[in-house]
Amino acid sequence: MIIVYLLFIFLCIRFCVTLFNFLSQPFLPQSPKHYDDLVSILIPARNEENNILDLLKSLENLNYRNFEVIIADDGSTDKTFEIIEDFILNKPSFSVFKIDVLPEGWLGKNNACFQLAKKANGAYFLYLDADETVLPEILDSAVHRMKMNRLHLLSLFCDQEMITLGERMVVPLMHYLLLSLLPLRLVYLSRNPSFAAASGQFMMFDAENYKREQWHKQVKNYVVEDVAILKLMKTEKFRTETLLANRFVSCRMYTGYKESLNGFSKNLLAGFSYNLGAMTFYFMLIYFGFIALLFFPAWFSIFALLLVAGIRIMISIISNQNIVYNLILHPLQMTSFVVVAIMSVKKYLQKNIVWKGRNIQPG
C-alpha cells in the first residue's frame, strides 16, 4: 500500500516537472544574427568508420565559415583514420591526428577531448560525437546563445534517430528520465549544482575558461564526464545552460537492442553516483509500484496511467519522438530499463565495463 501511494506522489511530481519542461520549451532558438568568432569543432573518434563521414559532410555544409574541425583518432582498429584522411584532403579547415597511447589514470574519451583542446585555436571549443549530424545554422545559434547568456558552457541534448524496434525500446528512456525528473531551465537559472544535466554529444565551452580550468583533466577518470564537468562549473559559479537541440543536432546512438542495452548500462549506475540503494528505490517506484497498481481500484489505476500517458506524450512532442511508438512500447521500455539497471550493477561489481574494446573503470 505504501509503495503505491509513494508511486502516485512520485508520478504527480514527475508530471509537474514534465509539464514545466513542456510549457517552458527549453529549446536552442535559431540565431537572428551571424557571427565571425573562430569556433574549434573538436571530435574524438574511436572505431567510427560507419558514422564519421556523415558528420564531416554535415560540417562541410555549415553556413558559418570561420571554423576549424580537428579530429582525434583515438586508437581506432578499423578504417576510421583512413576515411577521415580521404575526406579532409584539400580541406585546410579540417585536420586529424592519432592518439596511440592512453595515459595511466585517464579514460579514453576524456583524454582525447583534452588532447584536442591543446590543438584548438578558437574562441569557442565545441565537442561533438562522431555519430552525429548538424544543420547548417547550428554554429550561429550556439554562439549567439553563449554570448546572450554570457555562458561558459552550453550543452545540448540531441534529437535521437531510431530505426529498429530494439532502439525504440531503449533510446527514448534518456529523454523520458531527463525531462520528467529535471526542470531543464533550472540548469541555467539556479546556481545549485544539484540541478545538473549535460550531454557529451554537444558541449560548447568558452575557450579562455576551458584553457584556464582544463575541465577534461579535472574529470579524467569519470565515466559520465559531461555531468561531472557541469557540476564542477556550477560549483565554481561559472554560467552553464543545457537545452534541447531543436533539430539542430541529430544522433543515432545505437543500431539495435543489444547495442542499446550495452551503451546505456555503462552509464546508468554512474548517473546515480554508484549509489545502489538510490537506484534500487527508484526502480521500485517506477516499475514494481506500477505493477502493484493492477491490484487497486480501477479509478486509481486509470488516473495513474493517464499521468504516465501525459508524461510520455509531452516528452515525445518536445524531444521530436514518435508519440504512438512511445505509448505502445512504454511497458517494454520500462522492462528494458530494469535490464539496463541489472547489467549496469553487474558490470560495476565485476569491474567489467567495456566500451569499444576498452575496459572503463568507474571514477
Side-chain angles (χ1 to χ4, degrees):
M1 175 70 76
I2 294 177
I3 194 170
V4 174
Y5 288 126
L6 286 173
L7 170 68
F8 183 73
I9 294 170
F10 190 46
L11 273 178
C12 290
I13 293 172
R14 293 180 69 189
F15 182 87
C16 292
V17 171
T18 305
L19 182 62
F20 175 84
N21 282 323
F22 183 77
L23 295 177
S24 64
Q25 300 284 291
F27 301 138
L28 176 69
Q30 185 162 344
S31 172
K33 299 180 180 180
H34 295 286
Y35 296 92
D36 58 7
D37 305 77
L38 178 61
V39 177
S40 297
I41 302 173
L42 309 176
I43 306 167
R46 177 174 170 84
N47 295 340
E48 295 286 356
E49 64 180 6
N50 295 323
N51 301 312
I52 191 71
L53 199 56
D54 289 336
L55 172 60
L56 297 179
K57 288 178 179 177
S58 71
L59 293 175
E60 188 180 27
N61 292 326
L62 289 170
N63 61 11
Y64 191 106
R65 290 306 164 192
N66 194 19
F67 68 90
E68 61 178 2
V69 179
I70 309 173
I71 309 111
D73 179 82
D74 186 20
S76 294
T77 57
D78 61 6
K79 296 181 180 179
T80 297
F81 186 78
E82 290 79 2
I83 291 171
I84 296 170
E85 271 199 320
D86 287 344
F87 180 84
I88 69 174
L89 190 65
N90 299 321
K91 295 182 176 68
S93 58
F94 288 72
S95 63
V96 63
F97 67 96
K98 280 189 175 185
I99 299 176
D100 296 318
V101 178
L102 177 63
E104 185 177 354
W106 285 80
L107 294 184
K109 181 180 179 182
N110 302 359
N111 176 61
C113 290
F114 185 62
Q115 299 304 322
L116 282 160
K118 291 181 179 181
K119 297 181 179 295
N121 303 296
Y124 298 100
F125 293 171
L126 171 58
Y127 288 96
L128 298 176
D129 282 352
D131 54 2
E132 301 169 17
T133 57
V134 300
L135 292 185
E137 302 83 10
I138 180 59
L139 289 189
D140 274 322
S141 298
V143 170
H144 179 71
R145 195 70 179 184
M146 292 286 290
K147 289 179 177 292
M148 184 179 70
N149 285 349
R150 296 182 296 118
L151 299 175
H152 297 99
L153 170 63
L154 171 66
S155 184
L156 300 181
F157 279 88
C158 306
D159 286 24
Q160 298 300 321
E161 297 178 359
M162 294 163 280
I163 297 175
T164 67
L165 178 62
E167 293 167 78
R168 295 185 184 277
M169 288 170 58
V170 182
V171 175
L173 291 171
M174 181 173 65
H175 282 91
Y176 177 65
L177 291 175
L178 172 72
L179 297 172
S180 67
L181 292 175
L182 177 66
L184 205 56
R185 292 286 187 186
L186 293 187
V187 176
Y188 172 71
L189 295 173
S190 172
R191 299 307 180 199
N192 189 333
S194 298
F195 296 108
S199 171
Q201 294 176 338
F202 187 106
M203 302 274 281
M204 176 174 272
F205 292 89
D206 172 82
E208 182 179 346
N209 176 270
Y210 185 97
K211 287 185 285 189
R212 183 175 63 248
E213 303 295 335
Q214 299 188 338
W215 293 114
H216 282 100
K217 186 175 183 180
Q218 291 197 44
V219 298
K220 63 183 182 180
N221 64 338
Y222 281 69
V223 177
V224 188
E225 84 291 341
D226 42 17
V227 178
I229 288 173
L230 190 137
K231 284 185 175 181
L232 281 174
M233 295 183 79
K234 294 192 74 167
T235 299
E236 297 297 325
K237 309 303 180 185
F238 295 119
R239 289 180 293 276
T240 64
E241 186 170 26
T242 300
L243 298 169
L244 301 180
N246 196 21
R247 301 187 189 276
F248 283 114
V249 189
S250 300
C251 173
R252 188 182 180 195
M253 296 176 68
Y254 309 113
T255 58
Y257 188 64
K258 184 177 180 180
E259 187 179 352
S260 300
L261 292 177
N262 285 332
F264 274 76
S265 64
K266 72 181 173 69
N267 292 332
L268 181 62
L269 188 56
F272 285 88
S273 300
Y274 301 102
N275 188 323
L276 294 176
M279 191 175 74
T280 301
F281 180 71
Y282 178 78
F283 278 99
M284 286 177 64
L285 284 177
I286 69 164
Y287 190 77
F288 297 107
F290 186 78
I291 294 175
L293 286 174
L294 300 175
F295 301 96
F296 278 74
W299 67 268
F300 189 90
S301 299
I302 290 172
F303 186 67
L305 289 171
L306 288 175
L307 287 177
V308 172
I311 291 171
R312 294 315 304 252
I313 291 170
M314 287 188 286
I315 292 176
S316 297
I317 292 172
I318 60 177
S319 60
N320 297 314
Q321 294 179 9
N322 188 288
I323 297 173
V324 176
Y325 274 122
N326 283 341
L327 286 174
I328 293 175
L329 294 177
H330 180 77
L332 294 177
Q333 290 174 356
M334 293 300 100
T335 301
S336 297
F337 201 4
V338 174
V339 175
V340 168
I342 293 171
M343 291 175 63
S344 184
V345 172
K346 182 180 178 181
K347 290 178 179 180
Y348 172 70
L349 295 177
Q350 294 179 346
K351 303 298 181 184
N352 185 34
I353 305 176
V354 177
W355 189 247
K356 294 188 178 180
R358 282 179 174 154
N359 189 277
I360 302 173
Q361 297 300 330

